Amino acid sequence: MDKSPDAFRTISEAAEELDLPQHVLRFWETRFNTIRPLKRGGGRRYYRPEDVMLLRGIRHLLYDQGFTIKGVQRILKDQGPRYVIAVGEGKGLDEILPLIEQAEAAGDEAELEEAEMLASPALDQESREKLSEVLRDLLECKRILERAREH
């Protein structure tokens, strides 16, 4: 019997679903502070559905798009986990950019806390905004190139 999409996953279930070895998931936890599975007695990990979606996005960026770990860390910091989840779900740039703009415009407490947690103290707000703008421009260039390749 398959689990509900809302059910928590053990590390073996998450690894199987993502077609990754368990040690890769443990390693990614050390590199991406946004991956925080619940840990129970004996250190047993339980991944929330959002954790699995985030892992899927990270996997896509690393394995399919060719980003480095540092590159994905930068994307997580600049665009946030929602962006990486959207990428992992196969959403196109046209669907992702409004999500980014919506999140930036909303500015609710949870998003602000998340952004503060992910933001580097070495960069001021203006620098982060410039980097986000450059990333959006690069993503738009990538979209244009992908469309050109299709024709």
Side-chain angles (χ1 to χ4, degrees):
M1 183 165 116
D2 289 330
K3 281 190 173 183
S4 157
D6 296 332
F8 284 43
R9 305 282 192 262
T10 64
I11 191 167
S12 60
E13 291 168 334
E16 184 178 328
E17 186 174 326
L18 297 165
D19 193 27
L20 292 168
Q22 293 178 27
H23 70 269
V24 170
L25 298 181
R26 286 189 209 94
F27 174 72
W28 286 358
E29 284 178 40
T30 68
R31 296 295 183 251
F32 303 106
N33 63 3
T34 51
I35 301 172
R36 289 170 280 188
L38 293 176
K39 291 187 183 171
R40 294 292 158 97
R44 194 164 163 90
R45 290 166 169 81
Y46 291 95
Y47 292 89
R48 299 169 196 86
E50 304 84 48
D51 294 327
V52 176
M53 291 187 301
L54 179 60
L55 288 164
R56 186 174 290 113
I58 290 171
R59 182 189 190 289
H60 176 73
L61 290 170
L62 289 172
Y63 293 1
D64 301 331
Q65 298 296 316
F67 282 92
T68 63
I69 286 177
K70 283 191 181 273
V72 176
Q73 288 170 336
R74 174 65 62 190
I75 290 170
L76 278 165
K77 184 176 2 179
D78 292 344
Q79 302 302 327
R82 288 181 182 177
Y83 173 85
V84 175
I85 289 171
V87 167
E89 292 175 344
K91 293 187 178 174
L93 188 63
D94 296 338
E95 297 173 89
I96 295 171
L97 283 178
L99 292 175
I100 296 169
E101 291 165 2
Q102 190 177 25
E104 287 173 349
D108 67 46
E109 289 300 313
E111 289 173 12
L112 287 174
E113 286 175 21
E114 185 175 358
E116 288 170 5
M117 189 171 60
L118 294 172
S120 167
L123 292 176
D124 61 3
Q125 181 65 29
E126 184 179 340
S127 297
R128 283 194 297 274
E129 288 172 5
K130 285 180 183 177
L131 284 173
S132 292
E133 204 172 301
V134 168
L135 181 60
R136 273 193 220 91
D137 290 344
L138 287 171
L139 289 169
E140 178 65 18
C141 289
K142 181 182 177 193
R143 184 185 63 78
I144 291 168
L145 286 170
E146 287 173 349
R147 283 189 180 165
R149 285 186 190 133
E150 291 173 2
H151 297 289

